[in-house]
Amino acid sequence: MELVSEVTVELVKHSASDSDVVWAARVSTAGEKSLAAVGQDAERARGLINFLMRDRHGSPFEHNSMTFFVSAPILVFREFHRHRVGWSYNEESGRYRELRPVFYVPGPDRKLVQEGKPGQYVFTEGDETQHKLVGEAMERSYRESYAAYQEMLAAGVAREVARAVLPVGLFSSMYATCNARSLMHFLSLRTKDERGIVPSFPQREIEMVAEKMEAFWAELMPITHAAFNANGRVAP
């Protein structure tokens, strides 16, 4: 059994650049002449991109694509799959393969204690005793549940039935494909950033995924990313 505190995000393929925003926007006023902007350096169009972001003209930000490979605990995917518009997913299946014993345990920097009532709570650091308890309790539960899973498989029980005993701390993997507009909406909800004008309260584990995705996107579309930050991290 493997206990893991980090998530994995890899950029598998992409067709995404700042110039994609420019030619998609300019077709509205230039028609076929907008073809000249395809593949051009978008630096001279920084003001246009910022205008589109500021005034929430969103469709030009959809003409691009990024595909990520994500490995994270199932509890992350439960939240991730709420993002449906502009996203496509394919996840590994417990019906068709024997699931590997890789489980999530929070790292030492993960805040453990929730204080306050729903909608007004904050998370604070856990002490050494609490971190020890979390690690030991999770490992014990994981070992017991995976042993039960293996016992059923050995007895000939179908994988799709046996998997029911496995917890949401089990790691799964998926491909997730999106465009910049759908990614910005995801980031606005799943990251907590002082530049954001809309309050966001993400669970730390999905925020870890979001941060890694954002880092890749910022390299692919730096002007668009800068405009997103400058305009309150709100999807156009």
Side-chain angles (χ1 to χ4, degrees):
M1 187 176 71
E2 185 178 358
L3 301 177
V4 180
S5 300
E6 295 294 329
V7 299
T8 297
V9 177
E10 298 178 22
L11 181 65
V12 177
K13 59 183 294 187
H14 69 87
S15 175
S17 69
D18 290 313
S19 66
D20 296 334
V21 181
V22 178
W23 54 255
R26 285 184 173 160
V27 72
S28 63
T29 57
E32 72 283 354
K33 293 181 180 179
S34 63
L35 288 167
V38 176
Q40 287 186 351
D41 184 1
E43 182 60 41
R44 293 173 59 186
R46 182 179 292 270
L48 171 61
I49 293 174
N50 190 71
F51 161 75
L52 295 169
M53 190 77 69
R54 184 195 68 207
D55 286 12
R56 305 194 71 185
H57 296 291
S59 57
F61 297 98
E62 297 177 4
H63 295 271
N64 54 82
S65 178
M66 293 163 279
T67 297
F68 299 96
F69 175 81
V70 182
S71 178
I74 291 173
L75 63 92
V76 168
F77 291 179
R78 291 279 180 86
E79 293 196 339
F80 216 122
H81 292 161
R82 296 181 183 182
H83 297 268
R84 296 181 293 276
V85 178
W87 286 89
S88 298
Y89 304 106
N90 278 92
E91 184 182 351
E92 70 174 281
S93 173
R95 297 183 67 192
Y96 304 126
R97 68 171 302 192
E98 181 177 333
L99 298 172
R100 299 176 302 124
V102 180
F103 296 95
Y104 175 71
V105 173
D109 58 341
R110 208 305 186 186
K111 296 180 179 179
L112 294 183
V113 180
Q114 180 178 323
E115 297 178 348
K117 59 185 180 180
Q120 294 181 322
Y121 57 80
V122 295
F123 283 91
T124 59
E125 304 290 343
D127 60 30
E128 184 177 344
T129 300
Q130 289 168 322
H131 276 281
K132 184 174 183 294
L133 172 63
V134 168
E136 291 177 351
M138 285 186 170
E139 181 176 358
R140 182 170 62 251
S141 175
Y142 292 154
R143 289 192 182 280
E144 291 177 356
S145 64
Y146 198 77
Y149 174 66
Q150 289 288 295
E151 182 181 8
M152 284 188 280
L153 293 181
V157 176
R159 288 184 291 267
E160 65 183 52
V161 176
R163 65 176 174 169
V165 299
L166 297 173
V168 294
L170 180 76
F171 266 67
S172 186
S173 60
M174 71 172 179
Y175 291 109
T177 299
C178 63
N179 58 56
R181 190 183 192 185
S182 54
L183 180 59
M184 283 186 279
H185 180 260
F186 174 75
L187 295 175
S188 70
L189 295 172
R190 303 301 181 178
T191 60
K192 189 174 182 63
D193 191 294
E194 61 183 12
R195 294 167 293 187
I197 60 175
V198 177
S200 179
F201 306 96
Q203 181 164 339
R204 179 54 191 155
E205 286 73 20
I206 196 170
E207 186 177 35
M208 290 160 61
V209 173
E211 289 170 348
K212 292 178 181 292
M213 285 184 163
E214 183 169 1
F216 283 116
W217 174 55
E219 291 187 7
L220 296 175
M221 303 178 72
I223 299 174
T224 303
H225 181 252
F228 174 61
N229 286 327
N231 290 277
R233 294 177 64 87
V234 175

